[in-house]
Amino acid sequence: MDLLAGIGYACAGLLAVLAAALLGMAYRLGLLYQLWHKVDPRSPRHGGELVAEVLKAHGVRFLFALAGGHISPILVACEKVGIRVVDTRHEATAVFAADAVSRLSGRIGVAAVTAGPGVTNAVTAIKNAQMAESPLLLIGGAAASLQKGRGALQDIDQLSLFKTLCKACVSVRAVRDIVPTLRKAIATAQSGTPGPVFVELPIDVLYPFHMVEKEIGGTKNARGLQGKVVQWYLQNYIRNLFAGAWEHRDVSPLPVQVPLATEDEVQRCAELVSRATKPLVLVGSQAMLPPTPAEELRAALETLGIPCYLGGAARGLLPPGSPLLLRQNRRDALRDADLVLLAGAVCDFRLSYGRLFSRRAVIVAVNRDRAQLLRNSDVFWKPRLAVQGDAASFVVRLARSLRGYTCPGDWVEGLREADRKKEQANREKAATPTPQHLNPLDLLHRLDALLPPESLLVADGGDFVGTAAYIVRPRRPLAWLDPGAFGTLGVGGGFALGAKLCRPDAEVWVLYGDGSLGYSLMEFDTFVRHKTPVIALVGNDACWSQISREQVALLGSNVACGLEYLDYHAVAEALGGKGFVVGRQDRERLDAVLRAAQDACRQGHPVLINALIGKTDFRDGSISV
């Protein structure tokens, strides 16, 4: 009896295991899901429509792309719901444009690229967005999930490319997963320390049922047991792809999580500031992130009355004539300051890894990202107070805590006087003729004098753009776009495209070096086709000057650094834009040429000014490595 009972228990156990295995297999094959969710083989709808619905619900106005069959349903669907599809001549440009939209609009920027080389072409731009902390969504086409690893067109392991570059990398496996995956991805991109996310949409979740069935559904007249099993598997796979595809789902945005400082941290900083006699504020790009409006942050800085250096996207936060705004002598000011507030600024190469601070100075650092917050700390510097939280809201709350506080006037005036002296020295250098062609400082001073209040500057280059950072003054918040810490060349075309679409009434100038121009000169075709008139000012010195300066001095060779004084303006003309060229002989009419470029832009033409410039010693000793 005991033996029979044991056998019975064993059989029952085996049956339970078998049943569990069968249920697990049924679940993985989607059979259980299909019992309760409808599949409509006759529906003409496709996954691209769901993508468009989500983007529309999230306030996306522009989708940047370079066409490819893997993503065609997305492009067509977005056009139908009123999202403007802007196609570029390189995938990197599409991502750079999405980056610019993200920075300027406070909404998620979106780019869509086709599978394989379309995705790989976007890698550099995505890394740039990661290091610049720009929230954006990259949608990548892909081979059908069932065909991956089988030699499908443009099939590669795309998720592995982005694992270290994005906050999240996801591949969608069924049409019903498109909406929740995109909603979560967009919230992830904008929460915490913002950054890019990558969502892979295989071709079989984007096209209609009948097309997917035709391509991967197998033969209708399978023979033999193996053939029939394969046929059943393929048909079940397709039905599972579309099961519940068109059921109603919430497409509205998910909450965005923003880390905030505690009241105790704000109060401790207020006490440190109140005891300082030489305080200084360094505002970085991160301080321009939502949700704090730029105008509110500016008002807080003006209430504090502490002198400020603005970096990256924060340039223009204070107006050019603000008594608090400092642009020169930062190294000297940091050496003398007894308190430095790093509001989103990072102690990387831009601050000499923290070596610029006085050993006696009290350092307060505020940053959403802990790694950036403590970058190089306990090596060259040590924060008295390190706050992991949003920098802009911290400054606003600090200003409220310090009502009635007055920054020592002699400290502010001393810094202002040093700033004025350096500005005057720069003007004297601008008046000195170069051995040949135009003095770049003079050219940039002329430009600065002509910029209207509603202007926006895009920086894409090395030496010429580095010089411009000291001369040209952004007129308003979020009116300066540069690549950020990655120092990427080639952002110009995409940044300008996104900027002009976001601010159609702004006069958008791209400050190019002649080296960086080569990356996106072809985008003049994009500007023309999409009626986005911008002005490109090219500092053409026929050289990769930022590299050449040190390479020649240290290694004695100019190899790979030499270019030619090419007719870049003629290329812009050939692509449908307007071109101007100016050299030393045009110095007296330089202002007139700049105004003519502005007039042509107002008439709807993208413009390129090919400015032949000479060499100066203005940036000797600048960083190139």
Side-chain angles (χ1 to χ4, degrees), residues 17-33:
V17 170
L18 180 61
L22 289 173
L23 282 172
M25 183 179 296
Y27 175 80
R28 288 194 297 272
L29 291 171
L31 296 174
L32 298 180
Y33 188 87

Side-chain angles (χ1 to χ4, degrees), residues 126-413:
I126 286 293
K127 180 63 182 180
N128 192 79
Q130 180 198 42
M131 293 191 67
E133 298 174 349
S134 293
L136 63 86
L137 168 64
L138 176 64
I139 298 173
S145 297
L146 197 63
Q147 296 174 337
K148 287 186 175 182
R150 298 177 180 273
L153 175 66
Q154 298 176 333
D155 175 34
I156 60 172
D157 181 5
Q158 299 179 155
L159 296 184
S160 293
L161 288 173
F162 291 107
K163 282 181 179 177
T164 62
L165 308 181
C166 293
K167 296 184 69 178
C169 301
V170 186
S171 183
V172 175
R173 297 307 179 96
V175 179
R176 60 182 173 270
D177 296 328
I178 291 176
V179 170
T181 299
L182 288 176
R183 291 177 73 211
K184 183 178 180 181
I186 292 171
T188 298
Q190 296 175 308
S191 294
T193 303
V197 294
F198 176 65
V199 175
E200 179 184 80
L201 292 172
I203 197 169
D204 50 355
V205 303
L206 288 178
Y207 278 85
F209 186 101
H210 70 277
M211 294 184 66
V212 175
E213 184 179 43
K214 179 181 178 181
E215 289 299 318
I216 63 175
T219 177
K220 295 294 184 182
N221 301 309
R223 296 181 180 179
L225 179 61
Q226 181 178 349
K228 291 183 183 300
V229 170
V230 170
Q231 175 62 20
W232 175 87
Y233 177 82
L234 293 175
Q235 287 295 317
N236 179 73
Y237 171 83
I238 296 169
R239 294 183 68 82
N240 185 52
L241 275 177
F242 288 87
W246 315 122
E247 296 173 4
H248 175 74
R249 288 179 175 82
D250 186 4
V251 295
S252 63
L254 294 170
V256 173
Q257 306 299 322
V258 178
L260 299 175
T262 66
E263 285 300 326
D264 178 64
E265 288 170 329
V266 174
Q267 188 56 41
R268 286 173 62 193
C269 182
E271 292 170 1
L272 293 171
V273 171
S274 64
R275 293 197 294 266
T277 58
K278 297 180 178 180
L280 201 61
V281 178
L282 271 59
V283 184
S285 296
Q286 197 188 89
M288 305 306 294
L289 291 171
T292 304
E295 292 74 17
E296 189 175 342
L297 175 58
R298 178 174 63 188
L301 291 172
E302 291 172 341
T303 298
L304 286 170
I306 300 173
C308 302
Y309 284 97
L310 308 176
R315 294 175 187 268
L317 179 61
L318 294 171
S322 170
L324 304 178
L325 177 61
L326 302 173
R327 302 176 68 233
Q328 314 289 343
N329 306 304
R330 189 178 66 172
R331 180 180 294 269
D332 294 339
L334 286 171
R335 182 194 61 212
D336 295 338
D338 63 359
L339 180 140
V340 180
L341 171 58
L342 301 175
V346 180
C347 285
D348 56 16
F349 70 93
R350 291 167 293 186
L351 287 176
S352 192
Y353 310 100
R355 288 178 292 196
L356 298 182
F357 304 135
S358 166
R359 290 290 182 181
R360 300 181 302 276
V362 171
I363 311 298
V364 178
V366 188
N367 200 290
R368 294 191 187 190
D369 184 83
R370 183 164 181 80
Q372 297 287 65
L373 175 68
L374 300 174
R375 182 74 66 196
N376 297 302
S377 65
D378 297 320
V379 179
F380 299 114
W381 69 290
K382 187 176 182 65
R384 179 74 63 85
L385 177 62
V387 179
Q388 187 176 356
D390 177 59
S393 61
F394 182 89
V395 172
V396 170
R397 292 162 64 191
L398 179 65
R400 291 171 184 161
S401 298
L402 285 169
R403 283 198 176 96
Y405 165 80
T406 301
C407 184
D410 56 344
W411 167 242
V412 177
E413 185 51 39

Side-chain angles (χ1 to χ4, degrees), residues 335-547:
R335 182 194 61 212
D336 295 338
D338 63 359
L339 180 140
V340 180
L341 171 58
L342 301 175
V346 180
C347 285
D348 56 16
F349 70 93
R350 291 167 293 186
L351 287 176
S352 192
Y353 310 100
R355 288 178 292 196
L356 298 182
F357 304 135
S358 166
R359 290 290 182 181
R360 300 181 302 276
V362 171
I363 311 298
V364 178
V366 188
N367 200 290
R368 294 191 187 190
D369 184 83
R370 183 164 181 80
Q372 297 287 65
L373 175 68
L374 300 174
R375 182 74 66 196
N376 297 302
S377 65
D378 297 320
V379 179
F380 299 114
W381 69 290
K382 187 176 182 65
R384 179 74 63 85
L385 177 62
V387 179
Q388 187 176 356
D390 177 59
S393 61
F394 182 89
V395 172
V396 170
R397 292 162 64 191
L398 179 65
R400 291 171 184 161
S401 298
L402 285 169
R403 283 198 176 96
Y405 165 80
T406 301
C407 184
D410 56 344
W411 167 242
V412 177
E413 185 51 39
L415 292 174
R416 291 291 302 160
E417 179 59 25
D419 223 51
R420 284 189 288 268
K421 288 182 178 178
K422 189 63 178 289
E423 296 274 6
Q424 181 57 37
N426 289 343
R427 290 192 174 278
E428 292 172 2
K429 286 188 176 183
T432 304
T434 51
Q436 61 174 341
H437 302 303
L438 293 168
N439 185 320
L441 281 77
D442 181 45
L443 170 65
L444 292 165
H445 276 297
R446 304 277 195 101
L447 169 64
D448 184 64
L450 292 174
L451 286 177
E454 292 297 316
S455 58
L456 192 151
L457 299 160
V458 173
D460 185 10
D463 198 66
F464 182 66
V465 170
T467 300
Y470 288 94
I471 305 298
V472 184
R473 300 166 297 169
R475 295 329 198 232
R476 53 178 288 188
L478 295 172
W480 174 277
L481 291 176
D482 63 30
F486 202 32
T488 310
L489 295 183
V491 302
F495 277 12
L497 178 64
K500 188 63 178 178
L501 289 170
C502 280
R503 296 185 184 169
D505 297 329
E507 188 173 278
V508 176
W509 286 78
V510 193
L511 305 179
Y512 276 116
D514 53 338
S516 63
L517 175 67
Y519 289 90
S520 61
L521 178 55
M522 195 65 196
E523 299 301 343
F524 263 79
D525 168 65
T526 305
F527 299 146
V528 171
R529 285 186 296 108
H530 289 285
K531 297 179 173 57
T532 49
V534 303
I535 308 174
L537 175 61
V538 185
N540 185 355
D541 61 0
C543 186
W544 295 91
S545 291
Q546 184 155 308
I547 309 303

Side-chain angles (χ1 to χ4, degrees), residues 15-67:
L15 288 173
V17 170
L18 180 61
L22 289 173
L23 282 172
M25 183 179 296
Y27 175 80
R28 288 194 297 272
L29 291 171
L31 296 174
L32 298 180
Y33 188 87
Q34 292 176 50
L35 290 175
W36 290 278
H37 298 274
K38 180 182 177 183
V39 179
D40 184 0
R42 293 170 295 182
S43 174
R45 297 194 65 187
H46 56 78
E49 296 173 7
L50 299 179
V51 176
E53 287 177 18
V54 175
L55 298 185
K56 185 78 172 178
H58 285 72
V60 174
R61 297 170 55 208
F62 310 106
L63 175 66
F64 300 97
L66 198 156

